Amino acid sequence: MFLLRRTLPILTALFLAEGPAATRGFAATEGDAAFEAGIRASRAGRHEEALRQFQRARAAGLDRAALHYNLGVTYYRLGRYAEARASFRRVAEHETLGALVHYNLGLLALRLEEREQARRQFLIAHRLAKDEKLRRLAAVQLSRLSRVAGAEPRHSATIAAGAGYDDNLVVEDIGGAARGGDSFFELFLAGSATVHGTPRDGIKLHGSAYLVEYVDQNAFSMTILRGGAAQVTTWGGWRAEAGGDLELSTLGNRDYLRTLTASVAGKRAIAPTATFELRYRFSDIDARDSLFSQLNGYQHRLSVDAMHSRTDGWLSGRAFTEYNDREDLHGAGIFTSFSPVRMGLRAEYGRRLAADWEVSASLALTLSSYRDADVLEGGVEQRRKDQQLRVGLGLARNLGERWQVGAEYQYYDNDSNIAAFAYRRNVYALRVIGIF
């Protein structure tokens, strides 16, 4: 690694694979003299002495961007990566050094095997760099990371735990609301493993478990267990997947549904930072308890997803259509349809803030039209139509590359032409998420 004197030298000489580069300023005051002494010590490979001199310069009141930058370099060389990152971040918005700082933050993230963080930093460096050589270096690093990303892990796992409050409990498949709220706890576990071939061209097994437990209204507590297999193939720029899974659920103290699903999907990049996915799913649904036999039947669902990732955030969208043919509910002079045809749109915008914070907002609209007219009390027939608006807000903080803590708010407004199915709902939750 090389040091700067007054101006940036030729950039090809500035970056070595083993770590960041340093910069230098003018000597005049006591702080400047200590800064110059730190530069000389660093050139001689005496990094502990360099650190003492840079710290002495800071104590003397020197608050120059070059000082914080060189402190970052020195901490890096001494293996003190957290302090190196903190020093670099102090000058990450510097007009001249910003691109260089983000490049070095990328190198530091690589050393810590934080590949997604490294990718973000190199993207920022590439965007900010005014020097073509620096842009090329950032592009090379991004290309290397893309090739590494091709060697995906054979195993992955996710764990999430949370607690919150729901002010109007609803079972979406059945409809209707409890007209009351309750606190809840939830736990989610998921994992996948490639058991044959490679993650990009092979067979994988996947499974998940979800539990939500309400404190007082246990009838709304639910567990969902799911497991299955899929064949993954990479072909013509598409990532194709075909497979099936079995889902078993409980509601309150009762068995709820058994769902067999077969699905096919194709995903491909439509730009360096954008992806597109098309998915079709067919589900055969059986009630595990006669109390829910009205839900027996099948479901077709077709969805289109798009994701655009930026250095400072992301934008995603989904459109779907769904067709249901269920057994419905027949009674003495009463009929209730549980076979909706649905169409929906959803959009989410997320933005990364300073340090490791990020915020997100989502908006979804779902239109449902039920296939047969309900027969209400008194023999009145009315075909049910719902319009559901859903708004979400989130705030999260990343704790390293694997953990995240966050708060989420969801608002539901389900407008129905049959009053019994109309409701409004507010859900508040705090969660901890780990990805491995």
Side-chain angles (χ1 to χ4, degrees):
M1 293 186 293
F2 295 83
L3 300 167
L4 265 80
R5 292 191 63 88
R6 298 180 175 85
T7 59
L8 291 174
I10 299 174
L11 288 172
T12 52
L14 196 82
F15 304 100
L16 294 181
E18 65 266 19
T23 187
R24 168 184 183 181
F26 299 94
T29 64
E30 178 184 350
D32 291 322
F35 177 75
E36 291 287 339
I39 292 288
R40 291 193 295 272
S42 186
R43 280 185 174 275
R46 301 191 302 273
H47 304 308
E48 291 284 359
E49 180 184 342
L51 177 60
R52 287 194 295 272
Q53 293 295 344
F54 289 141
Q55 290 174 333
R56 179 173 157 235
R58 185 174 59 187
L62 195 66
D63 190 23
R64 188 180 301 160
L67 171 61
H68 300 300
Y69 184 91
N70 281 291
L71 271 168
V73 172
T74 306
Y75 280 129
Y76 181 95
R77 287 167 167 166
L78 293 172
R80 296 165 63 171
Y81 299 129
E83 292 158 297
R85 179 173 282 168
S87 294
F88 282 138
R89 283 178 171 170
R90 291 196 62 173
V91 289
E93 304 303 319
H94 191 273
E95 182 178 357
T96 303
L97 294 176
L100 179 59
V101 168
H102 284 291
Y103 183 91
N104 285 338
L105 282 169
L107 294 177
L108 193 154
L110 282 180
R111 175 59 63 90
L112 296 174
E113 298 186 357
E114 299 172 352
R115 290 185 175 85
E116 178 58 27
Q117 177 69 10
R119 188 185 71 84
R120 294 175 189 171
Q121 297 298 335
F122 290 136
L123 278 170
I124 297 173
H126 187 271
R127 176 170 57 86
L128 295 179
K130 298 178 181 179
D131 186 281
E132 186 58 31
K133 292 180 180 179
L134 179 55
R135 284 176 60 85
R136 285 202 302 268
L137 286 165
V140 167
Q141 295 289 355
L142 287 168
S143 177
R144 289 174 178 171
L145 281 169
S146 296
R147 291 197 297 271
V148 170
E152 299 174 20
R154 297 181 64 85
H155 308 86
S156 65
T158 300
I159 179 171
Y165 181 78
D166 186 336
D167 72 356
N168 195 8
L169 307 187
V170 176
V171 180
E172 291 286 349
D173 289 337
I174 299 175
R179 310 301 177 192
D182 199 2
S183 300
F184 64 86
F185 301 94
E186 60 181 0
L187 177 66
F188 175 75
L189 302 170
S192 67
T194 300
V195 295
H196 177 73
T198 69
R200 296 178 64 85
D201 192 359
I203 298 174
K204 69 176 182 180
L205 301 180
H206 57 265
S208 64
Y210 175 71
L211 165 69
V212 58
E213 188 76 23
Y214 288 92
V215 174
D216 296 318
Q217 302 197 54
N218 184 59
F220 287 84
S221 297
M222 178 175 282
T223 61
I224 302 174
L225 303 177
R226 179 183 298 165
Q231 170 72 55
V232 181
T233 304
T234 302
W235 174 77
W238 285 86
R239 177 77 169 271
E241 181 178 310
D245 59 63
L246 169 66
E247 178 181 293
L248 301 174
S249 59
T250 65
L251 181 62
N253 295 322
R254 293 179 176 270
D255 290 335
Y256 187 38
L257 301 177
R258 177 204 54 80
T259 305
L260 281 171
T261 298
S263 64
V264 292
K267 182 177 181 179
R268 70 174 299 158
I270 55 178
T273 59
T275 59
F276 165 87
E277 180 177 349
L278 183 65
R279 181 178 294 271
Y280 167 73
R281 189 179 72 191
F282 171 78
S283 297
D284 180 78
I285 302 165
D286 281 325
R288 302 174 66 202
D289 188 305
S290 60
L291 182 64
F292 309 113
S293 60
Q294 67 271 26
L295 299 177
N296 289 339
Y298 60 82
Q299 178 188 91
H300 299 272
R301 184 181 175 95
L302 179 66
S303 61
V304 179
D305 290 85
M307 166 73 82
H308 174 55
S309 298
R310 297 157 39 107
T311 56
D312 59 349
W314 70 91
L315 178 65
S316 67
R318 168 176 291 179
F320 78 90
T321 182
E322 179 183 294
Y323 177 87
N324 290 268
D325 187 1
R326 307 295 185 92
E327 191 171 305
D328 303 325
L329 183 62
H330 303 262
I334 295 177
F335 171 81
T336 304
S337 175
F338 286 87
S339 302
V341 177
R342 291 192 171 109
M343 294 185 295
L345 294 171
R346 183 180 188 275
E348 181 180 51
Y349 174 72
R351 185 172 181 84
R352 298 182 179 96
L353 306 178
D356 297 308
W357 291 89
E358 57 187 49
V359 294
S360 62
S362 63
L363 180 66
L365 177 65
T366 302
L367 304 178
S368 302
S369 179
Y370 285 72
R371 296 176 55 223
D372 301 300
D374 285 10
V375 180
L376 310 178
E377 291 186 11
V380 177
E381 294 188 9
Q382 189 167 7
R383 186 177 177 185
R384 177 182 167 190
K385 293 184 179 181
D386 287 8
Q387 176 177 296
Q388 185 184 94
L389 177 68
R390 181 174 175 177
V391 179
L393 298 172
L395 175 66
R397 183 172 185 181
N398 296 312
L399 306 177
E401 288 293 299
R402 299 188 182 278
W403 291 95
Q404 184 183 79
V405 295
E408 184 180 89
Y409 166 71
Q410 294 281 343
Y411 169 75
Y412 301 76
D413 184 351
N414 197 78
D415 186 21
S416 178
N417 62 342
I418 298 180
F421 297 104
Y423 63 86
R424 291 182 179 177
R425 182 184 180 197
N426 297 276
V427 182
Y428 312 84
L430 297 174
R431 294 189 177 93
V432 179
I433 302 172
I435 301 176
F436 304 91

